[in-house]
Amino acid sequence: ELEPASVLLERIKEEKKRKLGKKYKELPPVDTEKLPKLPKGWVWTRIGKISELIQYGTSEKAGSDSFGIPVLRMGNIQDGKLLFDDLKYFPRNWSKLEDFILKDGDVLFNRTNSAELVGKTAVYKSHYPIAVFASYLIRVKVNINAYVPDLLSFFINSFYGKKYIASVVSQQVGQANVNGTKLSLMPIPLPPLPEQHKIVE
């Protein structure tokens, strides 16, 4: 018998309210009419509800000195994985390093690309080289007591994730764009936490 995800969601909400106080904003409920029926104990929620931070990458210009810190860009996300090739670098004493350094479990979302590639997503892992991320990527810092980062990445890359992205994308000069607000509103299925771990496993 697993605790239903609705109980988990309520707990995460109360936690967030305590942390943010007056800054807490309630996201609109998910309209489930056109969404698939979920298994027993699961609920639909939004990315904004299970994340602690949604942050754009740095727009500062990086260089080619490979003794520096690698900068992950949109080309480094391929088929749901991060590839460390064709890199640019920031010096190791870069003043904004702490603001953009990636941590284990950070979900990277490609917010600007061609219409077919916008929204591709991957998870940064602690065994990867130390790295920061560039402005065409958004970092989603998931509350790991609510959601398994790999599951979120799998879902965004799935048919349902892509369908949502296609419905909210804006086009500018041949580029498709999905901003952080639209990303935070993406409906996602929330299974009980033990079940999430099992699915990813």
Side-chain angles (χ1 to χ4, degrees):
E1 282 297 303
L2 299 177
E3 174 187 84
S6 54
V7 177
L8 170 63
L9 196 59
E10 198 52 42
R11 196 163 60 244
I12 298 309
K13 179 180 165 179
E14 291 310 314
E15 223 176 85
K16 232 179 184 182
K17 273 184 173 172
R18 260 197 319 274
K19 250 188 213 171
L20 297 175
K22 286 181 180 170
K23 286 183 185 168
Y24 176 79
K25 279 198 182 80
E26 184 66 66
L27 292 175
V30 178
D31 178 6
T32 58
E33 207 174 290
K34 290 179 181 167
L35 293 170
K37 197 170 180 330
L38 292 176
K40 186 181 172 220
W42 296 29
V43 291
W44 284 103
T45 186
R46 297 187 188 274
I47 287 179
K49 289 196 174 186
I50 54 92
S51 60
E52 296 181 334
L53 176 73
I54 292 178
Q55 176 195 13
Y56 291 87
T58 175
S59 53
E60 281 193 30
K61 198 166 166 51
S64 51
D65 179 1
S66 60
F67 286 107
I69 303 282
V71 185
L72 294 174
R73 296 172 294 160
M74 58 185 180
N76 299 109
I77 300 177
Q78 299 289 345
D79 300 320
K81 294 186 174 68
L82 289 174
L83 302 183
F84 282 75
D85 51 15
D86 187 26
L87 292 164
K88 295 279 187 189
Y89 301 86
F90 279 120
R92 289 189 170 268
N93 60 356
W94 182 47
S95 62
K96 293 186 182 160
L97 193 61
E98 279 310 304
D99 296 339
F100 296 101
I101 201 104
L102 288 161
K103 303 273 168 57
D104 187 53
D106 283 350
V107 176
L108 289 174
F109 173 89
N110 180 199
R111 69 182 178 94
T112 303
N113 208 319
S114 62
E116 318 80 68
L117 294 175
V118 70
K120 57 185 181 158
T121 300
V123 182
Y124 178 85
K125 308 282 187 178
S126 57
H127 61 263
Y128 291 155
I130 289 172
V132 294
F133 62 111
S135 62
Y136 282 164
L137 301 181
I138 291 176
R139 174 207 335 235
V140 179
K141 207 169 260 309
V142 177
N143 178 341
I144 56 164
N145 296 318
Y147 220 91
V148 178
D150 288 279
L151 187 62
L152 181 60
S153 178
F154 294 154
F155 184 77
I156 297 172
N157 287 321
S158 77
F159 167 79
Y160 293 107
K162 287 177 178 166
K163 193 175 170 186
Y164 172 80
I165 288 161
S167 74
V168 297
V169 79
S170 58
Q171 291 279 355
Q172 294 162 334
V173 203
Q175 292 280 282
N177 190 280
V178 177
N179 65 30
T181 304
K182 287 172 180 171
L183 176 61
S184 77
L185 291 172
M186 181 187 281
I188 54 169
L190 177 70
L193 204 52
E195 206 168 338
Q196 291 183 42
H197 284 290
K198 206 72 187 160
I199 292 166
V200 170
E201 197 183 292

